[in-house]
Amino acid sequence: MRQDQEDPYQRRSAQVYAAADRAAGSVASPRAVLYDAVLLDRDGTLIEDVPYNGDPEKVRPVPGARAALDRLRAAGLRLAVVTNQSGLARGYFTGEQMWAVHARVEELLGRFDAWLVCPHDDADGCDCRKPAPGLVYAAARELGTTPSRCVLVGDIGRDVGAAMAAGAAGVLVPTPVTRPEEVAAAGWVATDLPAAVAEILRRQQAVQPSTPPTEPVRTALVVRSDSAGDVLVTGPAIRAVAAGAERVVLLCGPRGRAAANLLPGVDEIIEHPLPWIDPAPGPVDPEAMRSLSTRLGAVGADQAVVFTSFHQSALPLALLLRMAGINRIAAISDDYPGSLLDIRHRVPVGVPEPERALSLAAAAGHRLPDGDEPVLRLRRDAVPPRPADVGDPGYVVLHPGSAASSRACPPEVATRIVGALADAGHRVLVTGGPDERAVTARVAAAGGTDLGGRTDLAGLAAIVADASAVVVGNTGPAHLAAAAGVPVVSLFAPTVPFGQWGPYRVPTVRLGDAAAPCRDTRAASCPVPGHPCLSGVDPGDVVNALRTLAVSGGGGR
């Protein structure tokens, strides 16, 4: 679409930017970076919030804005403003006055590559007014990239919601008007705009190796011993190691083996439980540890990269690896490692688990090759065909269970959700493991199809891949959806941080009480009677979330 054919509020301002248009729908050549572009809310984020301002003389940048934006420009990131301006719909100012304000913003803060404006009010029901994702999609098109390669900085929950619903990263910079529940629900919070920019650039740099390995890596041993979801989110980092090694051997535990089978870049898998990682470990068996050390020594690894979650220790395994004769070991460790690690890496709290792992791979000298996006992926040859009897693609998957009961959707809530989805015209498949058949049967009886216990993880991946959306808690199928690029309605119990464990780089709407008393407890079983973080989820909000994600009843998407 030519610029002169576009909505005048959904384009660059000719008064302030005169560069040639990019081709419609063009996408930048994929590079192994996290972000191409930074999108910024206007009022309260770039400039002081003056309600319904149409006067350029009232424009006042927030402290440090110009220097922060210049840092982004110097790093090669493109910048766009995405702003709700309902004052246009209400007649409080004209389009000409608004563009004059924008010209003043650029005079003070420098040029932006695009301005995207929603001129509507809430009652108009448009798809561009934040928290709807329309402005984010439009900005990505205008900048020649994709939403997953954008990060949006804003001061209220609407900004973060719009970013998430498009699959972009969202940074909340609270102001006095930001509600506490918005701060609680945000996955990434910064104290001010300069701090947000500093963290964007730090995360961008963290996945780029400063130096390659000093010697060629013929065989790399990578370790991720935990559940299926943990293994899946480590996938991008394992692919990065595989790009720099001739052979990759993965050590995982029994709970993650099925997910390990799905990961690209893995040549061999060693399955062994680690008693310092498993949630219900048996006594340490010295003979089993000696056997594991011998098995690891037989790998002949030139390098070992030990991936862990933020609350786990890599040091017990590092000792076994030293005993196995592996001389180059990298891991994240806040604890003093002595001589157990050659590369002791540290990561700030709050970084998404896939990026946390990617930064460790980079510290060990590895990066994703150009053309490989830092997203979750599965091996195509490891996912079977979707069962024919589930019907055509376009259904909604509801997965109510979780290995950790604190993160499962209460069955009575899941039952009401299925009923609401069916009433809205959605075809619903209810999935679960063999031990969840009673729950899935109860939930599906409200209007869905019961698939409980019918698939293994690979079979579930096939079903998820053909869904229009997945409604799921913080559990493995959420990451299967992310790997397939399928939108997620995340019924997220806040026992662990959403910013670290939420669905990664996929359109998402988060539901549930982010400030519930279980917040940050890491509890596997609900520590609060009544499961308040998820028991209050309104089924109507799930239906509305699907609308936000452009998933319509009847299987459309």
Side-chain angles (χ1 to χ4, degrees), residues 426-505:
H426 294 284
R427 187 160 46 96
V428 185
L429 306 185
V430 181
T431 57
D435 58 342
E436 296 170 326
R437 286 175 174 150
V439 171
T440 60
R442 171 185 169 185
V443 171
T449 299
D450 180 17
L451 298 183
R454 283 188 49 187
T455 65
D456 58 10
L457 190 70
L460 180 58
I463 290 171
V464 164
D466 280 337
S468 290
V470 176
V471 182
V472 64
N474 176 25
T475 189
H479 306 304
L480 290 178
V486 173
V488 176
V489 178
S490 179
L491 309 178
F492 195 92
T495 53
V496 295
F498 182 81
Q500 291 182 238
W501 290 103
Y504 188 63
R505 291 195 169 217

Side-chain angles (χ1 to χ4, degrees), residues 219-230:
T219 297
L221 174 68
V222 295
V223 181
R224 191 61 173 97
S225 182
D226 216 325
S227 66
D230 301 287

Side-chain angles (χ1 to χ4, degrees), residues 400 408-417 439 442-443 531:
C409 180
E412 62 275 12
V413 175
T415 300
R416 293 196 296 270
I417 290 173
V439 171
R442 171 185 169 185
V443 171
H531 209 8

Side-chain angles (χ1 to χ4, degrees), residues 218-452:
R218 294 179 297 276
T219 297
L221 174 68
V222 295
V223 181
R224 191 61 173 97
S225 182
D226 216 325
S227 66
D230 301 287
V231 173
L232 291 172
V233 298
T234 312
I238 293 174
R239 298 199 311 270
V241 174
E246 296 176 12
R247 174 171 169 257
V248 172
V249 178
L250 170 62
L251 170 63
C252 69
R255 296 185 304 131
R257 176 60 188 260
N261 292 336
L262 301 177
L263 292 185
V266 176
D267 299 297
E268 181 182 345
I269 297 173
I270 298 174
E271 178 186 323
H272 199 288
L274 300 182
W276 54 91
I277 298 292
D278 284 1
V284 174
D285 182 345
E287 184 56 37
M289 292 298 98
R290 283 190 287 270
S291 175
L292 176 60
S293 181
T294 300
R295 177 68 183 87
L296 296 176
V299 169
D302 305 291
Q303 181 187 61
V305 184
V306 183
F307 297 105
T308 52
S309 293
F310 70 103
H311 61 282
Q312 296 170 342
S313 175
L315 299 184
L317 183 63
L319 176 60
L320 287 182
L321 294 173
R322 285 291 192 230
M323 294 171 63
I326 297 176
N327 295 321
R328 292 155 59 190
I329 305 173
I332 296 171
S333 182
D334 290 326
D335 296 325
Y336 173 62
S339 59
L340 295 180
L341 299 179
D342 301 287
I343 297 173
R344 177 196 185 187
H345 186 53
R346 290 182 174 179
V347 182
V349 174
V351 176
E353 289 290 318
E355 292 177 25
R356 187 174 184 274
L358 272 170
S359 73
L360 174 59
H366 304 288
R367 65 188 287 271
L368 286 169
D370 291 349
D372 189 355
E373 292 281 304
V375 296
L376 309 191
R377 297 190 191 282
L378 305 180
R379 286 175 44 205
R380 293 182 181 179
D381 62 347
V383 178
R386 174 178 47 83
D389 61 351
V390 303
D392 294 332
Y395 42 77
V396 172
V397 169
L398 173 66
H399 190 91
S402 172
S405 61
S406 61
R407 296 187 261 122
C409 180
E412 62 275 12
V413 175
T415 300
R416 293 196 296 270
I417 290 173
V418 168
L421 293 177
D423 290 345
H426 294 284
R427 187 160 46 96
V428 185
L429 306 185
V430 181
T431 57
D435 58 342
E436 296 170 326
R437 286 175 174 150
V439 171
T440 60
R442 171 185 169 185
V443 171
T449 299
D450 180 17
L451 298 183

